[in-house]
Structure formats: structure tokens, C-alpha cells
């Protein structure tokens, strides 16, 4: 039922001209899951424009509300945004706006991706915003993405005999996984100057 609700709402989102920008700000953090090797919980805390035509995954008091009503505390929303065949490459936002609407994904950095379903934690009717929280649990195959042996300043080298000994004994640094959440577009906030608010441009949050 939840899947059909989300699909139906996504169709409404496309038909209703949801090209309006909605993203205000956000943070992305992670914490280790105890007793679960290589497993972390990513936490997205984000703020959005409340009057955006949201895709409902779960709606509080659904029997007495419509899918076109604005979100309230406890609703679960699926993030949608703008895209074109090149993704979000155009930093002006124009290229994406001319494309269409699509779901926005979270990428842990190892090739996997997740839908971003947000639980509304607070909202303001007067100021037209919602605050949301999302927790995504992910398990990596290894603790780090790889290692970097290029740790010496230019002009310095390390010699340990044969090439095999060099590879085995040379110091290295770990290369961490890089997780990110990106989409389009940023909301046009009336409290920010037009030239400095990055309105209608893509957003990106990342952590390592």
C-alpha cells in the first residue's frame, strides 16, 4: 500500500509542475553501529519548503487528508527534485529545470544508493518550511575505500630493496568512503539577497 501511495503521489508531483525549488539547508552525519562490522547509520537533517508538492510515503490521518495537503509532523515524504540526461551538471539550475522531475537518491560511495524518505519533525505554516530527519543504515564491504601510498612530499622517495618490498613496506594513508546526498534545486528564500542565496541551483551534502 505504501509503495502504491508513493507511486501515485509521484505522478501527481510530475503533473502538478513540481519544478519549484524546495531545498533550504541540511546536514549529513554518521555514527558507527556497535557489534555490526563496517556498518554505519547516516543521519540527514534537512529543511524544505512546505508548500512543495510532496510525495507521501506515509501520511498521518490519511483517511481525512488529501495528497495535495501540506505535510505535518509525523508524515513521511520521499525526496524528489529536478534532473536531465546529464544529472545535475549545470550549476545554474537551468539545464535541470528544462529536464523533468525524479526521485533524489542517497549514495554511500560504494556503488549502492537509497531512496531518501524523510520524517517531518516540525513545520511552520507562516514561514512555509518543514524540518525532516532521515536515518539510512549501510554496511560496507571493507572499513576503507582503499589506501594511498603517495604520502611523501615531491622530491622524496622511499626505497626498500625490490619492488615487492617497496609495496609491502612503504607507509600509506587510508582513503575513506565518501557518502553524499545531492539534488536540485535550492529554494529562493526571501530573506537572502538574490545574488547570494544560490536559488534554483543544485545542492550537495557529503561526509567521509
Amino acid at each position: 500500500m505504501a509503495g502504491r501511495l508513493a507511486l501515485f503521489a509521484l505522478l501527481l508531483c510530475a503533473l502538478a509542475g513540481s519544478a519549484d525549488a524546495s531545498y533550504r539547508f541540511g546536514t549529513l552525519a554518521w555514527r558507527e553501529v556497535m557489534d555490526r562490522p563496517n556498518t554505519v547509520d547516516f543521519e540527514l537533517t534537512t529543511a524544505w519548503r512546505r508548500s512543495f508538492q510532496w510525495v507521501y510515503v506515509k501520511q498521518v490521518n490519511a483517511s481525512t487528508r488529501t495528497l495535495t495537503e501540506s505535510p505535518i509532523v509525523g508524515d513521511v515524504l520521499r525526496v524528489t527534485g529536478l534532473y536531465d540526461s546529464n544529472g545535475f551538471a549545470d550549476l545554474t539550475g537551468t539545464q535541470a529545470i528544462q529536464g523533468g522531475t525524479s526521485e533524489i537518491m542517497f549514495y554511500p560511495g560504494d556503488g549502492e544508493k537509497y531512496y531518501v524518505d524523510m520524517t517531518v519533525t516540525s513545520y511552520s505554516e507562516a514561514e512555509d518550511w518543514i524540518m525532516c530527519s532521515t536515518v539510512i543504515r549501510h554496511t560496507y564491504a571493507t572499513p576503507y575505500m582503499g589506501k594511498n601510498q603517495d604520502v611523501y612530499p615531491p622530491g622524496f622517495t622511499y626505497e626498500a630493496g625490490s619492488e615487492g618490498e617497496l609495496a609491502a613496506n612503504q607507509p600509506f594513508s587510508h582513503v575513506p568512503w565518501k557518502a553524499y546526498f545531492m539534488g536540485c534545486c535550492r529554494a529562493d528564500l526571501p530573506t537572502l539577497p538574490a545574488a547570494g542565496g544560490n536559488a534554483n541551483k543544485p545542492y550537495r551534502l557529503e561526509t567521509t
Side-chain angles (χ1 to χ4, degrees), residues 50-93:
R50 185 171 182 254
S51 57
F52 184 73
Q53 182 59 66
W54 288 102
V55 173
Y56 284 96
V57 175
K58 177 184 176 183
Q59 194 176 39
V60 175
N61 299 325
S63 62
T64 60
R65 297 170 62 203
T66 68
L67 295 178
T68 59
E69 291 185 36
S70 296
I72 61 176
V73 172
D75 285 343
V76 180
L77 314 173
R78 178 160 294 175
V79 179
T80 61
L82 303 174
Y83 81 105
D84 70 356
S85 58
N86 297 313
F88 307 104
D90 182 8
L91 294 182
T92 66

Short mmCIF file of all heavy atoms in Angstrom, two decimals, residues 50-93:
data_model
loop_
_atom_site.label_atom_id
_atom_site.label_comp_id
_atom_site.label_asym_id
_atom_site.label_seq_id
_atom_site.Cartn_x
_atom_site.Cartn_y
_atom_site.Cartn_z
N ARG A 50 7.63 24.00 2.62
CA ARG A 50 6.48 23.17 2.97
C ARG A 50 5.46 23.07 1.84
O ARG A 50 4.80 22.04 1.66
CB ARG A 50 5.82 23.73 4.24
CG ARG A 50 4.67 22.88 4.78
CD ARG A 50 4.23 23.39 6.14
NE ARG A 50 3.16 22.56 6.70
CZ ARG A 50 1.88 22.93 6.77
NH1 ARG A 50 1.52 24.13 6.32
NH2 ARG A 50 0.98 22.11 7.27
N SER A 51 5.31 24.14 1.06
CA SER A 51 4.29 24.19 0.02
C SER A 51 4.68 23.46 -1.26
O SER A 51 3.93 23.47 -2.24
CB SER A 51 3.95 25.65 -0.31
OG SER A 51 5.11 26.37 -0.72
N PHE A 52 5.85 22.81 -1.27
CA PHE A 52 6.23 21.96 -2.39
C PHE A 52 5.22 20.81 -2.53
O PHE A 52 4.62 20.38 -1.54
CB PHE A 52 7.64 21.40 -2.12
CG PHE A 52 8.23 20.58 -3.24
CD1 PHE A 52 8.69 21.18 -4.39
CD2 PHE A 52 8.36 19.21 -3.10
CE1 PHE A 52 9.25 20.43 -5.40
CE2 PHE A 52 8.93 18.44 -4.10
CZ PHE A 52 9.37 19.06 -5.26
N GLN A 53 5.00 20.32 -3.76
CA GLN A 53 4.08 19.20 -3.96
C GLN A 53 4.78 17.90 -3.61
O GLN A 53 5.39 17.26 -4.44
CB GLN A 53 3.57 19.17 -5.40
CG GLN A 53 2.56 18.06 -5.67
CD GLN A 53 1.34 18.17 -4.78
OE1 GLN A 53 0.57 19.12 -4.89
NE2 GLN A 53 1.14 17.21 -3.89
N TRP A 54 4.68 17.51 -2.35
CA TRP A 54 5.48 16.39 -1.82
C TRP A 54 4.90 15.03 -2.18
O TRP A 54 3.69 14.87 -2.36
CB TRP A 54 5.59 16.51 -0.29
CG TRP A 54 6.48 17.62 0.12
CD1 TRP A 54 6.12 18.85 0.59
CD2 TRP A 54 7.91 17.62 0.06
NE1 TRP A 54 7.22 19.61 0.84
CE2 TRP A 54 8.34 18.88 0.52
CE3 TRP A 54 8.86 16.67 -0.32
CZ2 TRP A 54 9.69 19.23 0.60
CZ3 TRP A 54 10.20 17.01 -0.24
CH2 TRP A 54 10.60 18.28 0.22
N VAL A 55 5.80 14.06 -2.26
CA VAL A 55 5.43 12.66 -2.44
C VAL A 55 5.29 12.02 -1.06
O VAL A 55 6.25 11.96 -0.30
CB VAL A 55 6.49 11.91 -3.26
CG1 VAL A 55 6.17 10.42 -3.29
CG2 VAL A 55 6.56 12.46 -4.67
N TYR A 56 4.09 11.56 -0.73
CA TYR A 56 3.85 10.95 0.58
C TYR A 56 4.12 9.44 0.53
O TYR A 56 3.54 8.73 -0.28
CB TYR A 56 2.40 11.18 1.03
CG TYR A 56 2.12 12.58 1.52
CD1 TYR A 56 1.58 13.53 0.67
CD2 TYR A 56 2.40 12.93 2.83
CE1 TYR A 56 1.32 14.81 1.12
CE2 TYR A 56 2.14 14.21 3.29
CZ TYR A 56 1.61 15.14 2.43
OH TYR A 56 1.36 16.41 2.89
N VAL A 57 4.97 8.98 1.42
CA VAL A 57 5.16 7.55 1.66
C VAL A 57 4.21 7.09 2.76
O VAL A 57 3.63 6.01 2.72
CB VAL A 57 6.61 7.23 2.03
CG1 VAL A 57 6.79 5.76 2.39
CG2 VAL A 57 7.55 7.62 0.89
N LYS A 58 4.05 7.96 3.76
CA LYS A 58 3.11 7.72 4.85
C LYS A 58 2.51 9.05 5.26
O LYS A 58 3.23 10.04 5.42
CB LYS A 58 3.82 7.06 6.05
CG LYS A 58 2.93 6.84 7.26
CD LYS A 58 3.73 6.28 8.42
CE LYS A 58 2.87 6.15 9.67
NZ LYS A 58 3.66 5.65 10.84
N GLN A 59 1.21 9.08 5.44
CA GLN A 59 0.52 10.32 5.78
C GLN A 59 -0.27 10.13 7.07
O GLN A 59 -1.08 9.21 7.19
CB GLN A 59 -0.41 10.74 4.64
CG GLN A 59 -0.93 12.15 4.72
CD GLN A 59 -1.77 12.52 3.51
OE1 GLN A 59 -2.53 11.71 3.02
NE2 GLN A 59 -1.63 13.76 3.04
N VAL A 60 0.01 10.98 8.05
CA VAL A 60 -0.72 10.94 9.31
C VAL A 60 -2.20 11.28 9.04
O VAL A 60 -2.51 12.21 8.28
CB VAL A 60 -0.12 11.93 10.32
CG1 VAL A 60 -0.96 11.98 11.60
CG2 VAL A 60 1.33 11.55 10.64
N ASN A 61 -3.09 10.52 9.66
CA ASN A 61 -4.53 10.73 9.47
C ASN A 61 -4.90 10.76 7.99
O ASN A 61 -5.64 11.64 7.51
CB ASN A 61 -4.97 12.04 10.14
CG ASN A 61 -4.73 12.04 11.64
OD1 ASN A 61 -4.85 11.01 12.29
ND2 ASN A 61 -4.36 13.20 12.17
N ALA A 62 -4.40 9.77 7.26
CA ALA A 62 -4.57 9.75 5.80
C ALA A 62 -6.02 9.71 5.38
O ALA A 62 -6.38 10.23 4.30
CB ALA A 62 -3.82 8.55 5.22
N SER A 63 -6.89 9.12 6.18
CA SER A 63 -8.30 8.99 5.80
C SER A 63 -9.03 10.33 5.77
O SER A 63 -10.09 10.45 5.13
CB SER A 63 -9.02 8.03 6.75
OG SER A 63 -9.00 8.54 8.08
N THR A 64 -8.48 11.34 6.43
CA THR A 64 -9.15 12.64 6.49
C THR A 64 -8.37 13.73 5.76
O THR A 64 -8.73 14.91 5.84
CB THR A 64 -9.36 13.08 7.95
OG1 THR A 64 -8.07 13.18 8.60
CG2 THR A 64 -10.23 12.08 8.68
N ARG A 65 -7.29 13.35 5.07
CA ARG A 65 -6.47 14.33 4.36
C ARG A 65 -6.30 13.92 2.90
O ARG A 65 -6.52 12.76 2.54
CB ARG A 65 -5.08 14.46 5.02
CG ARG A 65 -5.13 14.98 6.45
CD ARG A 65 -3.78 14.83 7.10
NE ARG A 65 -2.75 15.62 6.43
CZ ARG A 65 -1.45 15.35 6.49
NH1 ARG A 65 -1.03 14.29 7.18
NH2 ARG A 65 -0.58 16.11 5.87
N THR A 66 -5.88 14.87 2.07
CA THR A 66 -5.62 14.59 0.66
C THR A 66 -4.12 14.65 0.40
O THR A 66 -3.36 15.22 1.20
CB THR A 66 -6.32 15.60 -0.26
OG1 THR A 66 -5.71 16.90 -0.08
CG2 THR A 66 -7.80 15.69 0.07
N LEU A 67 -3.70 14.09 -0.72
CA LEU A 67 -2.28 14.08 -1.06
C LEU A 67 -1.76 15.45 -1.48
O LEU A 67 -0.55 15.63 -1.62
CB LEU A 67 -2.02 13.06 -2.17
CG LEU A 67 -2.27 11.59 -1.81
CD1 LEU A 67 -2.03 10.70 -3.01
CD2 LEU A 67 -1.37 11.17 -0.65
N THR A 68 -2.63 16.40 -1.69
CA THR A 68 -2.20 17.74 -2.06
C THR A 68 -2.04 18.66 -0.85
O THR A 68 -1.59 19.80 -1.00
CB THR A 68 -3.20 18.38 -3.05
OG1 THR A 68 -4.48 18.43 -2.44
CG2 THR A 68 -3.26 17.57 -4.34
N GLU A 69 -2.39 18.18 0.35
CA GLU A 69 -2.23 19.00 1.55
C GLU A 69 -0.77 19.06 1.97
O GLU A 69 0.01 18.14 1.71
CB GLU A 69 -3.08 18.42 2.69
CG GLU A 69 -4.57 18.56 2.46
CD GLU A 69 -5.37 18.11 3.67
OE1 GLU A 69 -4.90 18.32 4.80
OE2 GLU A 69 -6.46 17.53 3.48
N SER A 70 -0.41 20.14 2.64
CA SER A 70 0.96 20.32 3.10
C SER A 70 1.28 19.35 4.25
O SER A 70 0.39 18.95 5.01
CB SER A 70 1.18 21.76 3.57
OG SER A 70 1.03 22.66 2.48
N PRO A 71 2.57 18.97 4.40
CA PRO A 71 2.96 18.00 5.42
C PRO A 71 2.80 18.53 6.84
O PRO A 71 2.87 19.73 7.09
CB PRO A 71 4.44 17.75 5.11
CG PRO A 71 4.65 18.23 3.71
CD PRO A 71 3.69 19.35 3.52
N ILE A 72 2.59 17.59 7.76
CA ILE A 72 2.55 17.88 9.19
C ILE A 72 3.49 16.92 9.90
O ILE A 72 4.04 15.99 9.29
CB ILE A 72 1.12 17.77 9.76
CG1 ILE A 72 0.59 16.33 9.58
CG2 ILE A 72 0.20 18.77 9.11
CD1 ILE A 72 -0.78 16.11 10.21
N VAL A 73 3.69 17.12 11.20
CA VAL A 73 4.61 16.29 11.98
C VAL A 73 4.16 14.82 11.92
O VAL A 73 2.99 14.50 12.12
CB VAL A 73 4.67 16.77 13.44
CG1 VAL A 73 5.47 15.79 14.30
CG2 VAL A 73 5.28 18.17 13.51
N GLY A 74 5.12 13.95 11.65
CA GLY A 74 4.84 12.52 11.56
C GLY A 74 4.70 12.01 10.14
O GLY A 74 4.84 10.80 9.90
N ASP A 75 4.42 12.88 9.17
CA ASP A 75 4.34 12.44 7.77
C ASP A 75 5.72 11.97 7.30
O ASP A 75 6.76 12.48 7.74
CB ASP A 75 3.90 13.61 6.87
CG ASP A 75 2.42 13.91 7.00
OD1 ASP A 75 1.68 13.05 7.51
OD2 ASP A 75 2.01 15.00 6.58
N VAL A 76 5.73 11.00 6.40
CA VAL A 76 6.97 10.52 5.79
C VAL A 76 6.92 10.88 4.31
O VAL A 76 5.98 10.50 3.59
CB VAL A 76 7.14 9.00 5.97
CG1 VAL A 76 8.44 8.53 5.31
CG2 VAL A 76 7.13 8.63 7.44
N LEU A 77 7.93 11.62 3.86
CA LEU A 77 7.97 12.14 2.49
C LEU A 77 9.15 11.55 1.74
O LEU A 77 10.21 11.32 2.32
CB LEU A 77 8.12 13.67 2.51
CG LEU A 77 7.21 14.44 3.47
CD1 LEU A 77 7.61 15.90 3.50
CD2 LEU A 77 5.75 14.27 3.06
N ARG A 78 8.97 11.30 0.47
CA ARG A 78 10.09 10.87 -0.38
C ARG A 78 10.61 12.06 -1.16
O ARG A 78 9.84 12.76 -1.82
CB ARG A 78 9.67 9.75 -1.33
CG ARG A 78 10.79 9.30 -2.27
CD ARG A 78 10.53 7.92 -2.83
NE ARG A 78 10.58 6.93 -1.75
CZ ARG A 78 10.31 5.63 -1.91
NH1 ARG A 78 9.95 5.18 -3.10
NH2 ARG A 78 10.38 4.80 -0.89
N VAL A 79 11.91 12.28 -1.11
CA VAL A 79 12.51 13.45 -1.77
C VAL A 79 12.46 13.28 -3.28
O VAL A 79 12.87 12.25 -3.83
CB VAL A 79 13.97 13.65 -1.31
CG1 VAL A 79 14.58 14.85 -2.03
CG2 VAL A 79 14.03 13.86 0.19
N THR A 80 11.95 14.29 -3.96
CA THR A 80 12.00 14.36 -5.41
C THR A 80 12.65 15.68 -5.79
O THR A 80 12.79 16.58 -4.98
CB THR A 80 10.60 14.28 -6.04
OG1 THR A 80 9.82 15.39 -5.57
CG2 THR A 80 9.90 12.98 -5.66
N GLY A 81 13.04 15.78 -7.05
CA GLY A 81 13.68 17.00 -7.49
C GLY A 81 13.74 17.06 -8.99
O GLY A 81 12.92 16.46 -9.67
N LEU A 82 14.71 17.77 -9.52
CA LEU A 82 14.83 18.01 -10.95
C LEU A 82 16.05 17.29 -11.51
O LEU A 82 17.05 17.10 -10.82
CB LEU A 82 14.95 19.51 -11.22
CG LEU A 82 13.80 20.34 -10.68
CD1 LEU A 82 14.10 21.83 -10.88
CD2 LEU A 82 12.50 19.97 -11.36
N TYR A 83 15.97 16.90 -12.75
CA TYR A 83 17.09 16.21 -13.38
C TYR A 83 16.99 16.40 -14.89
O TYR A 83 15.98 16.84 -15.43
CB TYR A 83 17.03 14.72 -13.07
CG TYR A 83 16.07 13.97 -13.97
CD1 TYR A 83 16.54 13.17 -15.01
CD2 TYR A 83 14.69 14.11 -13.82
CE1 TYR A 83 15.65 12.53 -15.86
CE2 TYR A 83 13.81 13.47 -14.67
CZ TYR A 83 14.29 12.66 -15.69
OH TYR A 83 13.41 12.04 -16.51
N ASP A 84 18.09 16.04 -15.58
CA ASP A 84 18.03 15.84 -17.02
C ASP A 84 18.97 14.69 -17.35
O ASP A 84 19.45 13.99 -16.45
CB ASP A 84 18.37 17.11 -17.81
CG ASP A 84 19.83 17.50 -17.70
OD1 ASP A 84 20.57 16.82 -16.96
OD2 ASP A 84 20.23 18.47 -18.35
N SER A 85 19.24 14.45 -18.62
CA SER A 85 20.04 13.28 -19.00
C SER A 85 21.47 13.35 -18.47
O SER A 85 22.16 12.34 -18.38
CB SER A 85 20.08 13.16 -20.53
OG SER A 85 20.62 14.34 -21.12
N ASN A 86 21.93 14.55 -18.11
CA ASN A 86 23.27 14.72 -17.57
C ASN A 86 23.28 14.89 -16.05
O ASN A 86 24.28 15.29 -15.48
CB ASN A 86 23.94 15.94 -18.21
CG ASN A 86 24.13 15.77 -19.70
OD1 ASN A 86 24.60 14.73 -20.15
ND2 ASN A 86 23.74 16.77 -20.48
N GLY A 87 22.16 14.58 -15.42
CA GLY A 87 22.11 14.72 -13.97
C GLY A 87 21.99 16.17 -13.56
O GLY A 87 21.18 16.92 -14.09
N PHE A 88 22.84 16.59 -12.61
CA PHE A 88 22.79 17.94 -12.08
C PHE A 88 24.05 18.71 -12.45
O PHE A 88 24.62 19.43 -11.66
CB PHE A 88 22.62 17.90 -10.56
CG PHE A 88 21.47 17.04 -10.13
CD1 PHE A 88 21.69 15.78 -9.61
CD2 PHE A 88 20.17 17.47 -10.28
CE1 PHE A 88 20.63 14.98 -9.22
CE2 PHE A 88 19.10 16.69 -9.90
CZ PHE A 88 19.34 15.44 -9.37
N ALA A 89 24.49 18.55 -13.68
CA ALA A 89 25.78 19.11 -14.09
C ALA A 89 25.75 20.62 -14.24
O ALA A 89 26.76 21.29 -14.06
CB ALA A 89 26.23 18.48 -15.41
N ASP A 90 24.60 21.18 -14.57
CA ASP A 90 24.51 22.60 -14.82
C ASP A 90 24.31 23.36 -13.50
O ASP A 90 23.24 23.31 -12.92
CB ASP A 90 23.34 22.88 -15.76
CG ASP A 90 23.22 24.35 -16.11
OD1 ASP A 90 24.13 25.13 -15.74
OD2 ASP A 90 22.22 24.73 -16.73
N LEU A 91 25.33 24.06 -13.05
CA LEU A 91 25.26 24.73 -11.76
C LEU A 91 24.31 25.91 -11.75
O LEU A 91 24.00 26.45 -10.69
CB LEU A 91 26.67 25.18 -11.33
CG LEU A 91 27.66 24.03 -11.05
CD1 LEU A 91 29.00 24.60 -10.60
CD2 LEU A 91 27.11 23.10 -10.00
N THR A 92 23.83 26.36 -12.89
CA THR A 92 22.86 27.45 -12.90
C THR A 92 21.46 26.94 -12.58
O THR A 92 20.58 27.70 -12.24
CB THR A 92 22.81 28.13 -14.28
OG1 THR A 92 22.30 27.21 -15.25
CG2 THR A 92 24.19 28.59 -14.70
N GLY A 93 21.25 25.62 -12.72
CA GLY A 93 19.94 25.06 -12.48
C GLY A 93 19.05 25.06 -13.72
O GLY A 93 18.07 24.34 -13.79
#
